[in-house]
Amino acid sequence: MEREMEVKASSPICKAIPSLLSSFVDTFVDFSVSGGLFLPSLDSQNQQTSDLRTQYPSPNRLIAVGDLHGDLEKTKQAFRLAGLVDGSDRWSGGSATVVQIGDVLDRGGEELKILYFLEKLKREATKSGGNLITMNGNHEIMNIEGDFRFVTKLGLQEFSDWAFWYSSGNKMKSLCNGLEKQKDIFAGIPSCFRGVKEEFLNGIRARIAALRPDGPIANKFLSKNVTVLVIGDSIFVHGGLLAEHVDYGLERMNKEVRDWISGLAQKSAPSYCRGRDSVVWLRKFSHEVAMNCDCAALEHVLATVPGVKRMIMGHTIQQAGINGACDNKAIRIDVGMSRGCTNGLPEVLEINDKSELRILTSNPWYQNKYTSNLDMEADRKKEGNELRMQVEVKA
């Protein structure tokens, strides 16, 4: 009898049970946290989400999406504007390349749902020959460092719910022999914080556990972000780049930030991610009044990156919508669309294979009249300029 049990235990099916259980639990947790999403599987030959690249050639169609700040519905509207998702929120963008320029976190209550939504689209896009690239904003860096100044009450609750489901999943895994013992996600996190109300403690502890370097959410999503990106003749960065950043090395910055998020490097963010002149905080080229932008510094930076002729940035809300300064060498795409910001109407930037720029907007003012405000130094009411195209968005 004992011999028979040993043979059964050594069978391929029995050996596969621990990994099958682990996969089932992970899917169950993801489904519960994401609001009902199933993440498509990744092929072994196409592990795009683990790829770290700083430079890509020009695609046939390139879409840039600005800051999202915890507003899932506005996020979906922005993707619908460009025809990137269908009525069931599945990828319909074909071979398009999309860049989301950071600041998914803070100011809203659906941050995790957006992270899962973007991950789902990444995997769907890959299977269709497309590409969705996500970037670090200053709010990602802040949260990884435990700076929660802009977190909302709903944001804390969402992470509390995540901690419940994630811990439940770990308990389920612990019941199975053959699986590695699961770590306590709260290990090393204080049980209370001075000045913090008791009602917020669970949310804060859960947020630290999830987002600190090597935390489950940091590893699952944020470690896949890039901090600076070159696609064709455009360079993308959340805040802005100075010549000293380029001299330091674009690939080097991407690798060091990823290593930090993954828990492989120092405990604090690299210096070029902290302070007003850092790559995620800089506003030299994004002031709403174009004449206050430092065009000379911008031109110097662009001249140091071969083949690049424009910098595309988020971070600073543009009340007038997506626009350009410095002869359209500075393109600013943060329109404050989140309800936690200015509740702006969604807009996205489109660049075609001829490097021509067009703004897709949901603003009904443009339904019968196309006007460009890409270059705020030019006549903003000039007739015949069709860079801004109104697109209907169904809520």
Side-chain angles (χ1 to χ4, degrees), residues 216-257:
I217 296 299
N219 267 329
K220 190 178 187 71
F221 300 115
L222 305 186
S223 68
K224 299 170 186 176
N225 292 350
V226 294
T227 303
V228 60
L229 176 69
V230 178
I231 300 183
D233 56 10
S234 300
I235 189 164
F236 294 82
V237 63
H238 185 73
L241 284 172
L242 299 175
E244 64 196 58
H245 299 136
V246 179
D247 289 342
Y248 188 80
L250 307 184
E251 293 86 357
R252 182 180 177 185
M253 286 191 288
N254 277 339
K255 183 181 185 305
E256 288 179 352
V257 173

Side-chain angles (χ1 to χ4, degrees), residues 238-344:
H238 185 73
L241 284 172
L242 299 175
E244 64 196 58
H245 299 136
V246 179
D247 289 342
Y248 188 80
L250 307 184
E251 293 86 357
R252 182 180 177 185
M253 286 191 288
N254 277 339
K255 183 181 185 305
E256 288 179 352
V257 173
R258 176 167 293 191
D259 285 349
W260 166 62
I261 294 172
S262 302
L264 302 175
Q266 70 277 9
K267 293 184 179 180
S268 298
S271 59
Y272 47 79
C273 287
R274 290 183 277 118
R276 61 185 299 176
D277 287 338
S278 70
V279 297
V280 295
W281 282 97
L282 191 71
R283 299 187 195 270
K284 277 183 180 290
F285 316 128
S286 55
H287 196 288
E288 273 208 279
V289 179
M291 64 188 304
N292 291 337
C293 294
D294 192 341
C295 295
L298 176 63
E299 290 184 14
H300 178 61
V301 174
L302 295 178
T304 64
V305 186
V308 167
K309 68 179 184 182
R310 69 176 71 89
M311 188 181 297
I312 299 174
M313 298 155 281
H315 186 47
T316 303
I317 295 174
Q318 307 293 312
Q319 299 278 4
I322 293 175
N323 65 79
C326 304
D327 295 324
N328 283 344
K329 293 175 182 175
I331 308 295
R332 297 86 67 83
I333 66 170
D334 178 11
V335 295
M337 70 177 84
S338 169
R339 286 166 290 179
C341 295
T342 60
N343 199 25

Side-chain angles (χ1 to χ4, degrees), residues 108-272:
E110 298 164 308
E111 301 153 278
L112 285 169
K113 290 182 178 63
I114 295 175
L115 290 174
Y116 272 98
F117 178 67
L118 294 178
E119 180 65 21
K120 180 182 82 77
L121 292 183
K122 280 185 182 184
R123 300 185 185 191
E124 291 173 348
T126 299
K127 294 177 185 293
S128 299
N131 196 6
L132 170 55
I133 304 167
T134 52
M135 301 191 70
N136 289 311
N138 60 306
H139 286 266
E140 278 72 44
I141 302 300
M142 290 167 67
N143 274 267
I144 296 166
E145 288 200 305
D147 183 344
F148 302 149
R149 283 176 288 168
F150 299 94
V151 174
T152 66
K153 190 173 182 179
L154 288 175
L156 291 177
Q157 185 59 53
E158 189 184 32
F159 276 80
S160 289
D161 294 342
W162 164 82
F164 169 78
W165 289 113
Y166 191 83
S167 297
S168 298
N170 280 351
K171 289 178 182 177
M172 293 171 67
K173 290 180 182 181
S174 69
L175 298 175
C176 179
N177 291 330
L179 285 179
E180 184 179 342
K181 185 177 180 181
Q182 302 302 303
K183 299 177 183 177
D184 177 9
I185 60 170
F186 295 108
I189 300 175
S191 58
C192 61
F193 300 89
R194 188 193 308 178
V196 174
K197 295 180 180 179
E198 187 174 353
E199 61 181 304
F200 301 134
L201 278 176
N202 287 341
I204 288 176
R205 296 185 75 236
R207 204 169 177 102
I208 293 171
L211 295 172
R212 61 182 171 178
D214 197 31
I217 296 299
N219 267 329
K220 190 178 187 71
F221 300 115
L222 305 186
S223 68
K224 299 170 186 176
N225 292 350
V226 294
T227 303
V228 60
L229 176 69
V230 178
I231 300 183
D233 56 10
S234 300
I235 189 164
F236 294 82
V237 63
H238 185 73
L241 284 172
L242 299 175
E244 64 196 58
H245 299 136
V246 179
D247 289 342
Y248 188 80
L250 307 184
E251 293 86 357
R252 182 180 177 185
M253 286 191 288
N254 277 339
K255 183 181 185 305
E256 288 179 352
V257 173
R258 176 167 293 191
D259 285 349
W260 166 62
I261 294 172
S262 302
L264 302 175
Q266 70 277 9
K267 293 184 179 180
S268 298
S271 59
Y272 47 79

